[in-house]
């Protein structure tokens, strides 16, 4: 499986081709597409859809850092023509439905759409192969998004008030073997989250829960953990920024900070479970429009939550809707009184991610940091709030080539909102207006006045984060200030 290592040594793998050993060598800078073509050529298979399996039948991710395997030979297996035909059939059906949704006859088409969705879900449950399942679920998710966009209300809920639609079958996303290289990279803020597909991110999240001892501590059923993670993924929308990759990014940073700050030795396993679960759930069903828009537009969420952190309250509600389903309840075997405390703690952390509460959370931690007591519950709660806030807005801690892509995604989402605000006659924030903001102007103030002060405060308790987390923020600030000077010079 892939990793974020930057080693220049070529990768060597060995294939079983008609009973003979075939050696394949490729650069770590090759794209997965190039490697796939090389594997097809080496195995005498036409350039078509393939998968790679190890001697135990487990799928191996095709990427530049797939594990070396001598003497255990990999095998390249072509996907059948039948699978391609099924894909074509699904695309045809989905295209027809999408075309109908572009029309204005929403009421008449709603019943037909529901029947088509049910048919597609039934086909998934009747045993489609793993590669088909992921494709079908993506198509279904797009259809659900189209339902939301064409519906007169801004949010879509089913008749019982729940939008969540968890997998009912035993989850069967591909079994990936994480290399030691990947396992070590997961523990560092330098991890490149852009190299991973959704199934791979799910496998990494599953590994984190096992590695931290959370599965054992909460007596989780491993199948329930898989089902819960799939339900989580399905309930993140395909926004430019607030999507499942952002969820994984925040969760991986939390996992990295747990290791970097040696939190296993300072906090209880229950606290670690609360931190990880809050990170995974913190932006569930984010619509791509922030709290200010919700309140100004008087959306259903703003009305429901009385203009008080409408999005964060909604994220909490969806998180516990998922956990209320027996097949997705990873805390099913926890004592009810303990679960009440876990639930309240997760809600507290997710609500703390509202930037309107930033000063309150940071000030609470500042008052305690110089005389911090890990046995004091109030101190630990303040720390957990600041940790999830750090992870939620930590993109600039990562290498520049990783962080800048996130800035592009965030600006795209901002511009999408400001365009809508202009069309609806609502107030527009200058930092979201495509006519006024640039990358440097968007980042300099945020890094100088929000990120650096917060991370430097955490550094007072954990000095070891300075080199790997605080210094990259200072470098990023300098980088954008140089860009700003260039922009100003060009303007003059």
């Amino acid at each position: 499986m892939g990793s974020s290592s930057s080693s220049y040594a070529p990768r060597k793998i060995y294939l079983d081709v008609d009973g003979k050993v075939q050696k394949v060598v490729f650069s770590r800078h090759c794209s997965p597409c190039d490697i796939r073509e090389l594997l097809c050529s080496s195995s005498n298979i036409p350039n078509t859809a393939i998968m790679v399996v190890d001697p135990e039948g487990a799928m191996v991710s095709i990427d530049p850092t797939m594990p070396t395997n001598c003497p255990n030979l990999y095998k390249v297996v072509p996907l059948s023509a039948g699978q391609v035909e099924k894909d074509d059939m699904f695309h045809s059906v989905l295209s027809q439905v999408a075309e109908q949704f572009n029309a204005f006859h929403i009421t008449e088409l709603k019943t037909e759409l529901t029947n088509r969705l049910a048919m597609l879900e039934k086909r998934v449950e009747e045993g489609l192969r793993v590669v088909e399942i992921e494709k079908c679920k993506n198509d279904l998710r797009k259809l659900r998004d189209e339902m939301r966009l064409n519906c007169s209300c801004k949010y879509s809920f089913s008749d019982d008030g729940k939008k969540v639609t968890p997998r009912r079958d035993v989850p069967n996303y591909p079994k990936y073997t994480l290399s030691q290289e990947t396992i070590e990279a997961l523990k560092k803020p330098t991890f490149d989250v852009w190299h991973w597909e959704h199934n791979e991110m799910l496998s990494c999240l599953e590994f984190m829960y096992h590695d931290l001892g959370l599965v054992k501590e909460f007596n989780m059923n491993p199948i329930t953990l898989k089902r819960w993670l799939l339900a989580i993924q399905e309930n993140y929308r395909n926004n430019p920024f607030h999507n499942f990759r952002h969820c994984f990014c925040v969760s991986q940073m939390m996992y990295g900070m747990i290791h970097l700050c040696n939190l296993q030795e300072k906090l209880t396993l229950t606290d670690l479970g609360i931190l990880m679960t809050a990170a995974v759930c913190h932006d569930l069903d984010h619509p791509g429009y922030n709290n200010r828009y919700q309140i100004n537009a008087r959306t259903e969420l703003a009305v429901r939550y009385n203009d008080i952190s409408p999005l964060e309250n909604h994220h909490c509600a969806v998180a516990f809707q998922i956990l209320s389903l027996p097949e997705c309840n990873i805390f099913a075997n926890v004592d009810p009184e303990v679960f009440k405390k876990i639930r309240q703690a997760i809600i507290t952390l997710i609500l703390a991610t509202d930037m309107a509460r930033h000063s309150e959370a940071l000030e609470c931690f500042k008052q305690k940091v110089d005389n911090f007591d890990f046995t004091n519950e109030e101190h630990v709660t303040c720390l957990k709030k600041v940790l999830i806030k750090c992870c939620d807005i930590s993109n600039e801690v990562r290498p520049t080539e990783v962080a800048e892509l996130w800035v592009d995604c965030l600006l795209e989402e901002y511009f999408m909102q400001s365009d809508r605000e202009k069309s609806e006659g609502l107030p527009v924030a200058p930092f979201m207006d495509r006519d006024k903001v640039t990358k440097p102007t968007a980042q300099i103030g945020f890094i100088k006045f929000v990120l650096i002060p917060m991370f430097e405060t955490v550094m007072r308790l954990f000095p070891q984060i300075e080199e790997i987390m605080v210094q990259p923020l200072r470098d990023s600030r300098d980088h954008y200030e140089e860009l700003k000077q260039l922009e100003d010079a060009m303007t003059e």
Side-chain angles (χ1 to χ4, degrees):
M1 187 165 175
S3 81
S4 59
S5 170
S6 60
S7 169
Y8 291 97
R11 180 69 80 184
K12 301 175 186 176
I13 63 170
Y14 299 85
L15 304 177
D16 177 355
V17 181
D18 299 328
K20 298 180 181 179
V21 178
Q22 175 68 50
K23 178 180 176 183
V24 179
V25 180
F26 53 86
S27 165
R28 298 216 180 183
H29 301 290
C30 286
S31 68
C33 183
D34 293 336
I35 298 172
R36 190 174 285 105
E37 290 183 4
L38 183 60
L39 293 175
C40 286
S41 175
S42 302
S43 304
N44 301 319
I45 295 175
N47 190 9
T48 184
I50 61 169
M51 62 180 178
V52 176
V53 296
D54 66 15
E56 296 179 356
M59 292 182 66
V60 180
S61 175
I62 301 175
D63 62 56
T65 57
M66 54 196 302
T68 54
N69 61 318
C70 186
N72 300 315
L73 303 181
Y74 291 152
K75 199 154 193 174
V76 179
V77 181
L79 298 180
S80 66
Q83 290 172 309
V84 176
E85 291 175 4
K86 289 178 183 176
D87 283 347
D88 291 342
M89 182 186 71
F90 283 131
H91 275 299
S92 175
V93 172
L94 294 169
S95 296
Q96 293 173 22
V97 176
E99 285 176 8
Q100 290 176 333
F101 265 94
N102 287 329
F104 296 100
H105 308 293
I106 302 302
T107 304
E108 297 94 309
L109 292 173
K110 189 172 183 179
T111 302
E112 183 180 352
L113 174 64
T114 303
N115 291 337
R116 289 179 184 237
L117 283 172
M119 179 193 72
L120 289 172
E121 287 179 330
K122 184 177 179 183
R123 293 291 297 273
V124 172
E125 292 181 2
E126 285 176 348
L128 292 175
R129 296 178 65 86
V130 170
V131 288
E132 293 175 300
I133 289 175
E134 179 62 18
K135 190 171 185 61
C136 289
K137 298 309 290 185
N138 285 336
D139 290 340
L140 288 170
R141 193 157 46 248
K142 289 176 183 176
L143 275 175
R144 292 192 187 101
D145 286 343
E146 286 196 33
M147 280 186 69
R148 292 193 196 98
L149 291 173
N150 287 283
C151 186
S152 58
C153 61
K154 290 184 172 65
Y155 298 92
S156 174
F157 295 88
S158 59
D159 294 338
D160 61 357
K162 293 180 180 178
K163 190 187 72 65
V164 292
T165 52
R167 293 280 292 272
R168 300 279 173 175
D169 58 325
V170 175
N172 197 23
Y173 53 79
K175 174 187 173 185
Y176 291 105
T177 303
L178 298 183
S179 66
Q180 192 59 38
E181 191 176 19
T182 297
I183 291 170
E184 291 306 313
L186 272 174
K187 299 175 183 177
K188 300 174 183 177
T190 52
F191 188 84
D192 189 345
V193 297
W194 294 106
H195 285 174
W196 307 81
E197 300 298 330
H198 280 187
N199 279 340
E200 297 171 319
M201 290 187 280
L202 286 168
S203 292
C204 288
L205 288 171
E206 186 182 351
F207 168 80
M208 293 175 199
Y209 270 73
H210 282 278
D211 181 58
L212 291 173
L214 304 180
V215 175
K216 184 177 180 180
E217 173 69 13
F218 297 111
N219 193 18
M220 294 179 190
N221 182 333
I223 297 298
T224 303
L225 176 61
K226 286 176 176 283
R227 237 187 234 114
W228 175 72
L229 287 170
L230 279 166
I232 291 294
Q233 180 203 345
E234 290 171 353
N235 281 277
Y236 272 92
R237 302 196 195 184
N238 294 322
N239 298 315
F241 184 90
H242 291 101
N243 49 39
F244 180 65
R245 191 175 299 278
H246 170 67
C247 154
F248 175 72
C249 188
V250 174
S251 304
Q252 184 273 322
M253 186 63 75
M254 181 67 77
Y255 177 73
M257 289 196 76
I258 287 172
H259 283 281
L260 183 61
C261 301
N262 298 317
L263 294 182
Q264 302 101 316
E265 299 175 7
K266 297 176 173 65
L267 301 180
T268 66
L269 278 172
T270 298
D271 283 327
L272 298 186
I274 290 166
L275 283 168
M276 286 300 301
T277 306
V280 169
C281 298
H282 83 284
D283 269 334
L284 274 168
D285 198 43
H286 195 297
Y289 300 92
N290 68 14
N291 280 331
R292 190 175 53 80
Y293 173 83
Q294 306 299 323
I295 294 168
N296 289 339
R298 301 176 185 175
T299 65
E300 180 184 336
L301 289 183
V303 172
R304 177 179 300 167
Y305 296 112
N306 303 309
D307 294 351
I308 301 172
S309 303
L311 289 182
E312 289 72 24
N313 274 294
H314 181 59
H315 305 326
C316 292
V318 175
F320 286 98
Q321 284 175 5
I322 295 172
L323 285 170
S324 71
L325 300 164
E327 61 268 36
C328 296
N329 187 4
I330 57 174
F331 298 116
N333 298 320
V334 173
D335 179 82
E337 289 303 313
V338 174
F339 176 72
K340 282 183 183 178
K341 293 180 180 179
I342 292 173
R343 169 177 157 79
Q344 188 54 56
I346 290 173
I347 291 172
T348 298
L349 295 196
I350 294 178
L351 291 179
T353 62
D354 183 355
M355 286 304 294
R357 305 184 184 203
H358 175 79
S359 298
E360 172 191 336
L362 185 57
E363 190 59 35
C364 171
F365 182 65
K366 279 182 177 179
Q367 292 173 4
K368 299 169 176 57
V369 67
D370 292 326
N371 298 291
F372 198 86
D373 181 1
F374 282 97
T375 64
N376 184 309
E377 186 176 348
E378 185 182 351
H379 285 215
V380 171
T381 298
C382 286
L383 171 62
K384 288 189 293 187
K385 285 183 182 180
V386 170
L387 286 175
I388 195 168
K389 288 181 63 59
C390 285
C391 296
D392 187 23
I393 54 177
S394 62
N395 289 326
E396 290 300 331
V397 169
R398 300 183 187 273
T400 302
E401 64 274 13
V402 177
E404 282 205 353
L405 291 174
W406 280 117
V407 179
D408 292 335
C409 293
L410 185 61
L411 289 178
E412 181 182 349
E413 196 166 294
Y414 279 176
F415 296 158
M416 183 174 69
Q417 175 173 321
S418 63
D419 290 346
R420 182 167 182 171
E421 287 170 331
K422 291 175 184 177
S423 70
E424 295 178 1
L426 298 174
V428 178
F431 70 90
M432 301 178 78
D433 191 335
R434 68 172 71 245
D435 298 323
K436 298 178 181 177
V437 72
T438 63
K439 268 191 187 181
T441 57
Q443 292 301 96
I444 292 172
F446 188 67
I447 295 171
K448 286 174 68 172
F449 303 116
V450 177
L451 291 179
I452 291 179
M454 182 167 64
F455 277 86
E456 285 183 340
T457 304
V458 174
M459 186 180 73
R460 286 156 60 182
L461 185 60
F462 303 111
Q464 61 267 42
I465 76 167
E466 179 171 17
E467 180 181 354
I468 199 166
M469 300 188 84
V470 179
Q471 189 55 46
L473 288 175
R474 296 167 181 158
D475 294 341
S476 181
R477 173 200 60 199
D478 296 342
H479 166 67
Y480 283 113
E481 286 183 337
E482 288 176 6
L483 287 181
K484 178 69 165 58
Q485 290 174 2
L486 286 173
E487 281 186 359
D488 293 344
M490 291 177 67
T491 301
E492 291 174 4

